[in-house]
Amino acid sequence: MTTNLLSSRQPILDKIVFFCAVIRLGSFREASIQQGISPAAGSRWVKELEEAMSVELIKRSTRQLVATQAGQLLYERFSPLLPDIHSLCEEVQNLAEEQRGEIKLSSTPLFARQYLTKIVAEYIAMHPQVNFKIFIEAGEFDPLSIDFAFRASASYVGEPEQDSLLIRRRLLREPLYLCASPQYLVEHGMPTSPSELGQHRCLYARTLVGGNRWCFEHNGQTEIATIRDTLECDNSEMLLDLALEHAGIAYLPHSLVSAQLACGELQHIMQQYQCASFDIDVYYRPRTPMPERCAGFKQYLYQRVAEMQNRTI
């Protein structure tokens, strides 16, 4: 006689969801972090799921884990249902008059410090039932586990846009400045054209502002300089500190270097060339309907970023 698993007192659906996360990520530890439980609890859940179903779902070894035939069948049949289950829960949650629930954000360090910290603090004060989980990172992100991601890039006229299934909206745009400390320029010379940058120590962030391809425009002609691998760091504030310590030439946004240029700690290089723009974009997956907490935060985000940027101009 088949046991009705859904009528048991065990949280069978939670365990199946966790099992699917283990198979998708290939790691108990990563699945535990994503699902918000301890690795020990996650391992126990899978064992209890196997006992409830009377079948082995995962073969474990010290180096890897592999789904059994039964485990692969469960994963293939159940994992496509997860987005619909999540959307249904959000639709029901939207019927509440008060915004509540968790918003997950992934942001570059610079945008988090200059804008996001203040905006999130204000939103929590207005909506105490909304919780935030913020990841400070500059690389790739999982759009299924993040509500909004904020990423920086360098753009220039004629650059092809990358295809994406995510919605992308520009929040900020400001000029990039090529700059270095006076001491560095005394010791290594002043470059006068993009082609000369290959002879200098250059500081760049691959994920922040176009990586090692720096774009310039002069007299209607676009020129791209490919920078040799001198120093790469995906934190523009650290690149600023390195430039101030005479480590090389940096390519940084106006809001970050305007004070240092004004007081002479840094010097603006090759001013006859127009640099690319520094952009901050927000990415999110299309959802209909979008959870009320996310829709409300998105609208507030657009409003506050525009207000805060106007005050700095």
PDB file of all heavy atoms in Angstrom, residues 175-203:
ATOM      1  N   PRO A 175      30.456  60.508 -16.527  1.00  0.00           N
ATOM      2  CA  PRO A 175      31.685  60.332 -17.305  1.00  0.00           C
ATOM      3  C   PRO A 175      32.762  59.592 -16.537  1.00  0.00           C
ATOM      4  O   PRO A 175      32.824  59.638 -15.306  1.00  0.00           O
ATOM      5  CB  PRO A 175      32.116  61.777 -17.604  1.00  0.00           C
ATOM      6  CG  PRO A 175      31.515  62.587 -16.508  1.00  0.00           C
ATOM      7  CD  PRO A 175      30.215  61.924 -16.176  1.00  0.00           C
ATOM      8  N   LEU A 176      33.614  58.900 -17.283  1.00  0.00           N
ATOM      9  CA  LEU A 176      34.802  58.267 -16.732  1.00  0.00           C
ATOM     10  C   LEU A 176      35.997  59.179 -16.972  1.00  0.00           C
ATOM     11  O   LEU A 176      36.105  59.814 -18.017  1.00  0.00           O
ATOM     12  CB  LEU A 176      35.051  56.913 -17.407  1.00  0.00           C
ATOM     13  CG  LEU A 176      34.174  55.749 -16.941  1.00  0.00           C
ATOM     14  CD1 LEU A 176      34.253  54.612 -17.947  1.00  0.00           C
ATOM     15  CD2 LEU A 176      34.605  55.272 -15.576  1.00  0.00           C
ATOM     16  N   TYR A 177      36.898  59.235 -16.004  1.00  0.00           N
ATOM     17  CA  TYR A 177      38.104  60.041 -16.126  1.00  0.00           C
ATOM     18  C   TYR A 177      39.328  59.132 -16.060  1.00  0.00           C
ATOM     19  O   TYR A 177      39.423  58.248 -15.204  1.00  0.00           O
ATOM     20  CB  TYR A 177      38.193  61.073 -15.000  1.00  0.00           C
ATOM     21  CG  TYR A 177      37.134  62.148 -15.052  1.00  0.00           C
ATOM     22  CD1 TYR A 177      36.673  62.741 -13.884  1.00  0.00           C
ATOM     23  CD2 TYR A 177      36.580  62.576 -16.261  1.00  0.00           C
ATOM     24  CE1 TYR A 177      35.691  63.737 -13.911  1.00  0.00           C
ATOM     25  CE2 TYR A 177      35.610  63.558 -16.302  1.00  0.00           C
ATOM     26  CZ  TYR A 177      35.162  64.134 -15.128  1.00  0.00           C
ATOM     27  OH  TYR A 177      34.202  65.102 -15.164  1.00  0.00           O
ATOM     28  N   LEU A 178      40.266  59.388 -16.948  1.00  0.00           N
ATOM     29  CA  LEU A 178      41.560  58.725 -16.899  1.00  0.00           C
ATOM     30  C   LEU A 178      42.458  59.572 -15.994  1.00  0.00           C
ATOM     31  O   LEU A 178      42.656  60.766 -16.256  1.00  0.00           O
ATOM     32  CB  LEU A 178      42.149  58.631 -18.305  1.00  0.00           C
ATOM     33  CG  LEU A 178      43.294  57.645 -18.532  1.00  0.00           C
ATOM     34  CD1 LEU A 178      42.796  56.220 -18.350  1.00  0.00           C
ATOM     35  CD2 LEU A 178      43.867  57.834 -19.926  1.00  0.00           C
ATOM     36  N   CYS A 179      42.975  58.981 -14.930  1.00  0.00           N
ATOM     37  CA  CYS A 179      43.699  59.804 -13.961  1.00  0.00           C
ATOM     38  C   CYS A 179      44.814  59.014 -13.274  1.00  0.00           C
ATOM     39  O   CYS A 179      44.791  57.780 -13.220  1.00  0.00           O
ATOM     40  CB  CYS A 179      42.735  60.377 -12.922  1.00  0.00           C
ATOM     41  SG  CYS A 179      41.678  59.152 -12.131  1.00  0.00           S
ATOM     42  N   ALA A 180      45.770  59.774 -12.766  1.00  0.00           N
ATOM     43  CA  ALA A 180      46.890  59.192 -12.030  1.00  0.00           C
ATOM     44  C   ALA A 180      47.431  60.241 -11.077  1.00  0.00           C
ATOM     45  O   ALA A 180      47.131  61.435 -11.205  1.00  0.00           O
ATOM     46  CB  ALA A 180      47.978  58.723 -12.993  1.00  0.00           C
ATOM     47  N   SER A 181      48.248  59.811 -10.137  1.00  0.00           N
ATOM     48  CA  SER A 181      48.840  60.755  -9.188  1.00  0.00           C
ATOM     49  C   SER A 181      49.973  61.529  -9.870  1.00  0.00           C
ATOM     50  O   SER A 181      50.633  61.007 -10.780  1.00  0.00           O
ATOM     51  CB  SER A 181      49.386  60.010  -7.973  1.00  0.00           C
ATOM     52  OG  SER A 181      50.534  59.258  -8.329  1.00  0.00           O
ATOM     53  N   PRO A 182      50.205  62.760  -9.449  1.00  0.00           N
ATOM     54  CA  PRO A 182      51.326  63.533 -10.013  1.00  0.00           C
ATOM     55  C   PRO A 182      52.656  62.802  -9.875  1.00  0.00           C
ATOM     56  O   PRO A 182      53.498  62.852 -10.780  1.00  0.00           O
ATOM     57  CB  PRO A 182      51.294  64.825  -9.207  1.00  0.00           C
ATOM     58  CG  PRO A 182      49.869  64.971  -8.773  1.00  0.00           C
ATOM     59  CD  PRO A 182      49.402  63.571  -8.518  1.00  0.00           C
ATOM     60  N   GLN A 183      52.855  62.102  -8.756  1.00  0.00           N
ATOM     61  CA  GLN A 183      54.128  61.386  -8.556  1.00  0.00           C
ATOM     62  C   GLN A 183      54.315  60.283  -9.583  1.00  0.00           C
ATOM     63  O   GLN A 183      55.408  60.104 -10.128  1.00  0.00           O
ATOM     64  CB  GLN A 183      54.184  60.798  -7.138  1.00  0.00           C
ATOM     65  CG  GLN A 183      55.477  60.031  -6.857  1.00  0.00           C
ATOM     66  CD  GLN A 183      55.558  59.547  -5.423  1.00  0.00           C
ATOM     67  OE1 GLN A 183      55.133  60.233  -4.494  1.00  0.00           O
ATOM     68  NE2 GLN A 183      56.114  58.353  -5.228  1.00  0.00           N
ATOM     69  N   TYR A 184      53.230  59.535  -9.862  1.00  0.00           N
ATOM     70  CA  TYR A 184      53.327  58.482 -10.873  1.00  0.00           C
ATOM     71  C   TYR A 184      53.712  59.078 -12.222  1.00  0.00           C
ATOM     72  O   TYR A 184      54.566  58.538 -12.942  1.00  0.00           O
ATOM     73  CB  TYR A 184      52.013  57.707 -10.996  1.00  0.00           C
ATOM     74  CG  TYR A 184      52.030  56.734 -12.160  1.00  0.00           C
ATOM     75  CD1 TYR A 184      52.540  55.451 -11.998  1.00  0.00           C
ATOM     76  CD2 TYR A 184      51.588  57.110 -13.424  1.00  0.00           C
ATOM     77  CE1 TYR A 184      52.599  54.559 -13.069  1.00  0.00           C
ATOM     78  CE2 TYR A 184      51.640  56.233 -14.498  1.00  0.00           C
ATOM     79  CZ  TYR A 184      52.150  54.970 -14.317  1.00  0.00           C
ATOM     80  OH  TYR A 184      52.226  54.095 -15.385  1.00  0.00           O
ATOM     81  N   LEU A 185      53.094  60.198 -12.596  1.00  0.00           N
ATOM     82  CA  LEU A 185      53.347  60.809 -13.901  1.00  0.00           C
ATOM     83  C   LEU A 185      54.772  61.354 -13.996  1.00  0.00           C
ATOM     84  O   LEU A 185      55.387  61.311 -15.064  1.00  0.00           O
ATOM     85  CB  LEU A 185      52.318  61.911 -14.162  1.00  0.00           C
ATOM     86  CG  LEU A 185      50.868  61.417 -14.270  1.00  0.00           C
ATOM     87  CD1 LEU A 185      49.914  62.596 -14.357  1.00  0.00           C
ATOM     88  CD2 LEU A 185      50.693  60.486 -15.457  1.00  0.00           C
ATOM     89  N   VAL A 186      55.302  61.857 -12.884  1.00  0.00           N
ATOM     90  CA  VAL A 186      56.687  62.319 -12.876  1.00  0.00           C
ATOM     91  C   VAL A 186      57.638  61.147 -13.110  1.00  0.00           C
ATOM     92  O   VAL A 186      58.621  61.239 -13.869  1.00  0.00           O
ATOM     93  CB  VAL A 186      57.023  63.030 -11.548  1.00  0.00           C
ATOM     94  CG1 VAL A 186      58.528  63.242 -11.411  1.00  0.00           C
ATOM     95  CG2 VAL A 186      56.295  64.364 -11.470  1.00  0.00           C
ATOM     96  N   GLU A 187      57.330  60.013 -12.473  1.00  0.00           N
ATOM     97  CA  GLU A 187      58.223  58.861 -12.550  1.00  0.00           C
ATOM     98  C   GLU A 187      58.095  58.094 -13.868  1.00  0.00           C
ATOM     99  O   GLU A 187      59.081  57.526 -14.354  1.00  0.00           O
ATOM    100  CB  GLU A 187      57.941  57.912 -11.376  1.00  0.00           C
ATOM    101  CG  GLU A 187      58.289  58.502 -10.021  1.00  0.00           C
ATOM    102  CD  GLU A 187      57.895  57.577  -8.870  1.00  0.00           C
ATOM    103  OE1 GLU A 187      57.270  56.525  -9.147  1.00  0.00           O
ATOM    104  OE2 GLU A 187      58.199  57.921  -7.715  1.00  0.00           O
ATOM    105  N   HIS A 188      56.897  58.092 -14.450  1.00  0.00           N
ATOM    106  CA  HIS A 188      56.673  57.239 -15.621  1.00  0.00           C
ATOM    107  C   HIS A 188      56.295  57.999 -16.885  1.00  0.00           C
ATOM    108  O   HIS A 188      56.154  57.383 -17.943  1.00  0.00           O
ATOM    109  CB  HIS A 188      55.567  56.213 -15.300  1.00  0.00           C
ATOM    110  CG  HIS A 188      55.913  55.316 -14.151  1.00  0.00           C
ATOM    111  ND1 HIS A 188      56.686  54.190 -14.280  1.00  0.00           N
ATOM    112  CD2 HIS A 188      55.605  55.420 -12.827  1.00  0.00           C
ATOM    113  CE1 HIS A 188      56.822  53.603 -13.104  1.00  0.00           C
ATOM    114  NE2 HIS A 188      56.176  54.330 -12.200  1.00  0.00           N
ATOM    115  N   GLY A 189      56.098  59.279 -16.797  1.00  0.00           N
ATOM    116  CA  GLY A 189      55.763  60.063 -17.966  1.00  0.00           C
ATOM    117  C   GLY A 189      54.265  60.205 -18.169  1.00  0.00           C
ATOM    118  O   GLY A 189      53.459  59.447 -17.625  1.00  0.00           O
ATOM    119  N   MET A 190      53.911  61.217 -18.983  1.00  0.00           N
ATOM    120  CA  MET A 190      52.509  61.525 -19.256  1.00  0.00           C
ATOM    121  C   MET A 190      52.082  60.927 -20.601  1.00  0.00           C
ATOM    122  O   MET A 190      52.598  61.321 -21.641  1.00  0.00           O
ATOM    123  CB  MET A 190      52.311  63.038 -19.281  1.00  0.00           C
ATOM    124  CG  MET A 190      50.931  63.480 -19.738  1.00  0.00           C
ATOM    125  SD  MET A 190      49.688  63.330 -18.450  1.00  0.00           S
ATOM    126  CE  MET A 190      50.155  64.720 -17.407  1.00  0.00           C
ATOM    127  N   PRO A 191      51.136  59.971 -20.618  1.00  0.00           N
ATOM    128  CA  PRO A 191      50.657  59.465 -21.909  1.00  0.00           C
ATOM    129  C   PRO A 191      49.834  60.530 -22.627  1.00  0.00           C
ATOM    130  O   PRO A 191      49.089  61.281 -22.002  1.00  0.00           O
ATOM    131  CB  PRO A 191      49.787  58.273 -21.507  1.00  0.00           C
ATOM    132  CG  PRO A 191      49.334  58.575 -20.117  1.00  0.00           C
ATOM    133  CD  PRO A 191      50.462  59.339 -19.481  1.00  0.00           C
ATOM    134  N   THR A 192      49.963  60.599 -23.950  1.00  0.00           N
ATOM    135  CA  THR A 192      49.241  61.601 -24.732  1.00  0.00           C
ATOM    136  C   THR A 192      48.245  60.989 -25.703  1.00  0.00           C
ATOM    137  O   THR A 192      47.483  61.715 -26.342  1.00  0.00           O
ATOM    138  CB  THR A 192      50.234  62.475 -25.517  1.00  0.00           C
ATOM    139  OG1 THR A 192      51.034  61.638 -26.370  1.00  0.00           O
ATOM    140  CG2 THR A 192      51.151  63.241 -24.550  1.00  0.00           C
ATOM    141  N   SER A 193      48.243  59.657 -25.836  1.00  0.00           N
ATOM    142  CA  SER A 193      47.304  58.988 -26.739  1.00  0.00           C
ATOM    143  C   SER A 193      46.980  57.604 -26.191  1.00  0.00           C
ATOM    144  O   SER A 193      47.775  57.041 -25.414  1.00  0.00           O
ATOM    145  CB  SER A 193      47.888  58.862 -28.150  1.00  0.00           C
ATOM    146  OG  SER A 193      48.980  57.960 -28.150  1.00  0.00           O
ATOM    147  N   PRO A 194      45.833  57.029 -26.564  1.00  0.00           N
ATOM    148  CA  PRO A 194      45.476  55.701 -26.062  1.00  0.00           C
ATOM    149  C   PRO A 194      46.518  54.638 -26.359  1.00  0.00           C
ATOM    150  O   PRO A 194      46.731  53.725 -25.545  1.00  0.00           O
ATOM    151  CB  PRO A 194      44.154  55.404 -26.784  1.00  0.00           C
ATOM    152  CG  PRO A 194      43.568  56.746 -27.052  1.00  0.00           C
ATOM    153  CD  PRO A 194      44.743  57.640 -27.351  1.00  0.00           C
ATOM    154  N   SER A 195      47.203  54.740 -27.500  1.00  0.00           N
ATOM    155  CA  SER A 195      48.195  53.722 -27.849  1.00  0.00           C
ATOM    156  C   SER A 195      49.356  53.679 -26.861  1.00  0.00           C
ATOM    157  O   SER A 195      50.002  52.641 -26.700  1.00  0.00           O
ATOM    158  CB  SER A 195      48.726  53.974 -29.262  1.00  0.00           C
ATOM    159  OG  SER A 195      49.356  55.244 -29.337  1.00  0.00           O
ATOM    160  N   GLU A 196      49.623  54.786 -26.175  1.00  0.00           N
ATOM    161  CA  GLU A 196      50.726  54.832 -25.216  1.00  0.00           C
ATOM    162  C   GLU A 196      50.381  54.179 -23.881  1.00  0.00           C
ATOM    163  O   GLU A 196      51.274  53.926 -23.065  1.00  0.00           O
ATOM    164  CB  GLU A 196      51.152  56.284 -24.989  1.00  0.00           C
ATOM    165  CG  GLU A 196      51.738  56.965 -26.217  1.00  0.00           C
ATOM    166  CD  GLU A 196      52.130  58.404 -25.933  1.00  0.00           C
ATOM    167  OE1 GLU A 196      52.284  58.758 -24.744  1.00  0.00           O
ATOM    168  OE2 GLU A 196      52.271  59.174 -26.896  1.00  0.00           O
ATOM    169  N   LEU A 197      49.088  53.914 -23.654  1.00  0.00           N
ATOM    170  CA  LEU A 197      48.702  53.313 -22.372  1.00  0.00           C
ATOM    171  C   LEU A 197      49.269  51.912 -22.205  1.00  0.00           C
ATOM    172  O   LEU A 197      49.433  51.434 -21.076  1.00  0.00           O
ATOM    173  CB  LEU A 197      47.176  53.278 -22.248  1.00  0.00           C
ATOM    174  CG  LEU A 197      46.491  54.645 -22.120  1.00  0.00           C
ATOM    175  CD1 LEU A 197      44.980  54.478 -22.157  1.00  0.00           C
ATOM    176  CD2 LEU A 197      46.917  55.342 -20.830  1.00  0.00           C
ATOM    177  N   GLY A 198      49.559  51.247 -23.303  1.00  0.00           N
ATOM    178  CA  GLY A 198      50.141  49.915 -23.225  1.00  0.00           C
ATOM    179  C   GLY A 198      51.507  49.897 -22.597  1.00  0.00           C
ATOM    180  O   GLY A 198      51.997  48.832 -22.181  1.00  0.00           O
ATOM    181  N   GLN A 199      52.149  51.059 -22.496  1.00  0.00           N
ATOM    182  CA  GLN A 199      53.481  51.150 -21.889  1.00  0.00           C
ATOM    183  C   GLN A 199      53.405  51.525 -20.411  1.00  0.00           C
ATOM    184  O   GLN A 199      54.440  51.697 -19.768  1.00  0.00           O
ATOM    185  CB  GLN A 199      54.319  52.204 -22.644  1.00  0.00           C
ATOM    186  CG  GLN A 199      54.297  52.073 -24.151  1.00  0.00           C
ATOM    187  CD  GLN A 199      54.722  50.683 -24.614  1.00  0.00           C
ATOM    188  OE1 GLN A 199      55.688  50.134 -24.099  1.00  0.00           O
ATOM    189  NE2 GLN A 199      53.994  50.130 -25.585  1.00  0.00           N
ATOM    190  N   HIS A 200      52.195  51.686 -19.885  1.00  0.00           N
ATOM    191  CA  HIS A 200      52.032  52.141 -18.501  1.00  0.00           C
ATOM    192  C   HIS A 200      51.406  51.063 -17.627  1.00  0.00           C
ATOM    193  O   HIS A 200      50.776  50.121 -18.118  1.00  0.00           O
ATOM    194  CB  HIS A 200      51.150  53.392 -18.463  1.00  0.00           C
ATOM    195  CG  HIS A 200      51.862  54.633 -18.895  1.00  0.00           C
ATOM    196  ND1 HIS A 200      52.458  55.492 -18.010  1.00  0.00           N
ATOM    197  CD2 HIS A 200      52.079  55.155 -20.142  1.00  0.00           C
ATOM    198  CE1 HIS A 200      53.007  56.503 -18.670  1.00  0.00           C
ATOM    199  NE2 HIS A 200      52.794  56.319 -19.972  1.00  0.00           N
ATOM    200  N   ARG A 201      51.573  51.249 -16.325  1.00  0.00           N
ATOM    201  CA  ARG A 201      50.855  50.423 -15.364  1.00  0.00           C
ATOM    202  C   ARG A 201      49.431  50.948 -15.278  1.00  0.00           C
ATOM    203  O   ARG A 201      49.215  52.106 -14.906  1.00  0.00           O
ATOM    204  CB  ARG A 201      51.525  50.477 -13.987  1.00  0.00           C
ATOM    205  CG  ARG A 201      52.942  49.901 -13.946  1.00  0.00           C
ATOM    206  CD  ARG A 201      53.295  49.442 -12.532  1.00  0.00           C
ATOM    207  NE  ARG A 201      53.094  50.488 -11.546  1.00  0.00           N
ATOM    208  CZ  ARG A 201      54.070  51.212 -11.013  1.00  0.00           C
ATOM    209  NH1 ARG A 201      55.312  51.034 -11.404  1.00  0.00           N
ATOM    210  NH2 ARG A 201      53.799  52.118 -10.101  1.00  0.00           N
ATOM    211  N   CYS A 202      48.464  50.123 -15.605  1.00  0.00           N
ATOM    212  CA  CYS A 202      47.052  50.552 -15.595  1.00  0.00           C
ATOM    213  C   CYS A 202      46.266  49.692 -14.620  1.00  0.00           C
ATOM    214  O   CYS A 202      46.488  48.486 -14.500  1.00  0.00           O
ATOM    215  CB  CYS A 202      46.452  50.470 -16.994  1.00  0.00           C
ATOM    216  SG  CYS A 202      47.201  51.628 -18.163  1.00  0.00           S
ATOM    217  N   LEU A 203      45.325  50.328 -13.944  1.00  0.00           N
ATOM    218  CA  LEU A 203      44.515  49.687 -12.910  1.00  0.00           C
ATOM    219  C   LEU A 203      43.096  49.544 -13.444  1.00  0.00           C
ATOM    220  O   LEU A 203      42.474  50.524 -13.818  1.00  0.00           O
ATOM    221  CB  LEU A 203      44.508  50.541 -11.637  1.00  0.00           C
ATOM    222  CG  LEU A 203      45.860  51.150 -11.236  1.00  0.00           C
ATOM    223  CD1 LEU A 203      45.674  52.136 -10.077  1.00  0.00           C
ATOM    224  CD2 LEU A 203      46.855  50.064 -10.875  1.00  0.00           C
TER     225      LEU A 203
END
